[in-house]
């Protein structure tokens, strides 16, 4: 799986939008962009994924650059519960069937201030 | 979604002993995965467990140290053998329902004295 680069930490104020960046300049055409987050003392949970187009779900939005070399996870209104480590992961569309596992990098620790 | 439980949730063990961690899923899944999360670190994949076949281990992990069982489609165990303080970590199991979403258990926090 291709490598991603994320800031180690970010801070946000409660009820403000948060933009979490991720660089993946070596992304291949068959790589999906996945985001997971890990709340304190919990296992990671899926947030969102995309391939080329921007994506929205109930948790967040994913904005993907036109050249796909970077993406941004957008939390529209941060809450205290959103404080977590956010992982940006590239995953071949064929998944484990092609021997491609979910590979976690360092992630971004998001701190939300009340 | 998938509901995954792990037992024990935490344990404190003596050096040289072994601990078996159980992972139970609420529905049948083909692939189960075991991860290790060392203190302050990200997750590292230990092995992939497919029902009816031997587990596939990632580089740096061996079967003698981390034997895995997968007796059916809803259950797996990971044993941490001959433990040392360096094995103190959180161990997590996960399952994948599609290529796009993996579900994780709550983890087992292991401390080795």
């Amino acid at each position: 799986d291709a490598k991603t680069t994320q800031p180690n930490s970010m801070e946000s104020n409660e009820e403000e939008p948060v933009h979490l960046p991720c660089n993946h300049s070596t992304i291949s055409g068959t790589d999906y962009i996945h985001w997971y987050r890990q709340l304190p003392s919990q296992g990671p949970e899926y947030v969102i994924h995309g391939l080329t187009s921007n994506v929205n779900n109930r948790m967040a939005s994913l904005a993907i650059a036109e050249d796909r070399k970077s993406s941004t996870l957008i939390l529209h209104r941060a809450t205290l519960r959103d404080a977590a480590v956010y992982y940006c992961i590239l995953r071949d569309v064929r998944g484990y069937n092609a021997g491609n596992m979910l590979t976690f990098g360092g992630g971004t620790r998001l701190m939300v201030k009340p | 979604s998938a509901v995954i439980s792990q037992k024990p949730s935490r344990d404190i063990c003596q050096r040289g002993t072994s601990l078996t961690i159980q992972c139970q899923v609420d529905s049948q899944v083909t692939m189960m995965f075991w991860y290790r999360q060392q203190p302050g670190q990200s997750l590292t994949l230990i092995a992939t467990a497919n029902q009816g076949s031997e587990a596939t281990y990632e580089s740096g992990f061996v079967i003698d140290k981390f034997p895995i069982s997968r007796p059916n489609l809803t259950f797996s165990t990971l044993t941490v053998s001959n433990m040392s303080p360096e094995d103190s970590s959180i161990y997590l199991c996960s399952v994948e329902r599609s290529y796009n979403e993996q579900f994780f258990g709550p983890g087992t926090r292991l401390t080795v004295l």
Side-chain angles (χ1 to χ4, degrees), chain A residues 102, chain B residues 33-36 43-46 91-92 94 102 104:
Chain A
L102 207 59
Chain B
F33 306 88
W34 286 98
Y35 289 82
R36 180 176 73 181
L43 282 77
T44 301
L45 181 65
I46 297 172
Y91 293 86
L92 302 105
S94 73
Q102 202 163 109
F104 287 81

Side-chain angles (χ1 to χ4, degrees), chain B:
Chain B
S1 64
V3 176
I4 303 171
S5 61
Q6 288 185 231
K7 288 181 180 179
S9 59
R10 59 178 61 225
D11 206 343
I12 300 173
C13 300
Q14 296 296 320
R15 181 196 299 261
T17 62
S18 298
L19 176 71
T20 296
I21 301 167
Q22 300 178 7
C23 179
Q24 179 76 52
V25 189
D26 66 340
S27 57
Q28 296 182 343
V29 292
T30 304
M31 306 293 285
M32 295 179 77
F33 306 88
W34 286 98
Y35 289 82
R36 180 176 73 181
Q37 187 169 27
Q38 295 177 299
Q41 303 295 313
S42 184
L43 282 77
T44 301
L45 181 65
I46 297 172
T48 304
N50 194 359
Q51 195 270 336
S53 63
E54 293 287 329
T56 301
Y57 289 83
E58 297 298 303
S59 175
F61 298 96
V62 295
I63 187 171
D64 289 346
K65 177 66 176 177
F66 297 103
I68 289 171
S69 78
R70 183 78 203 275
N72 58 52
L73 292 172
T74 63
F75 187 78
S76 177
T77 67
L78 169 77
T79 298
V80 186
S81 303
N82 189 23
M83 289 183 286
S84 68
E86 292 70 35
D87 294 318
S88 297
S89 296
I90 299 173
Y91 293 86
L92 302 105
C93 68
S94 73
V95 303
E96 191 163 301
R97 284 273 168 76
S98 69
Y99 296 154
N100 297 321
E101 191 170 350
Q102 202 163 109
F103 299 94
F104 287 81
T108 295
R109 183 180 295 272
L110 170 63
T111 301
V112 183
L113 302 177

Side-chain angles (χ1 to χ4, degrees), chain A:
Chain A
D1 292 322
K3 186 175 173 59
T4 62
T5 304
Q6 300 177 252
N8 289 333
S9 63
M10 290 184 65
E11 259 189 16
S12 171
N13 294 316
E14 196 176 12
E15 299 191 2
E16 290 186 357
V18 182
H19 289 66
L20 297 163
C22 181
N23 287 319
H24 30 78
S25 58
T26 59
I27 191 170
S28 77
T30 55
D31 283 333
Y32 274 89
I33 302 160
H34 294 250
W35 284 81
Y36 282 75
R37 72 179 185 180
Q38 187 172 23
L39 301 172
S41 301
Q42 295 189 26
E45 64 176 350
Y46 167 83
V47 176
I48 201 167
H49 77 277
L51 185 62
T52 56
S53 304
N54 295 343
V55 184
N56 299 294
N57 67 19
R58 63 175 179 81
M59 288 181 70
S61 296
L62 177 59
I64 300 172
E66 196 169 332
D67 63 5
R68 300 214 319 129
K69 294 185 176 182
S70 65
S71 61
T72 302
L73 180 70
I74 302 167
L75 307 179
H76 296 286
R77 285 182 72 242
T79 69
L80 296 178
R81 194 194 174 278
D82 291 320
V85 179
Y86 287 78
Y87 296 100
C88 170
I89 302 168
L90 299 184
R91 183 99 186 274
D92 187 283
V93 64
R94 295 164 295 172
Y96 60 74
N97 283 341
N100 290 285
M101 303 305 162
L102 207 59
T103 302
F104 287 81
T108 295
R109 181 174 298 277
L110 175 66
M111 293 165 281
V112 180
K113 296 183 291 184

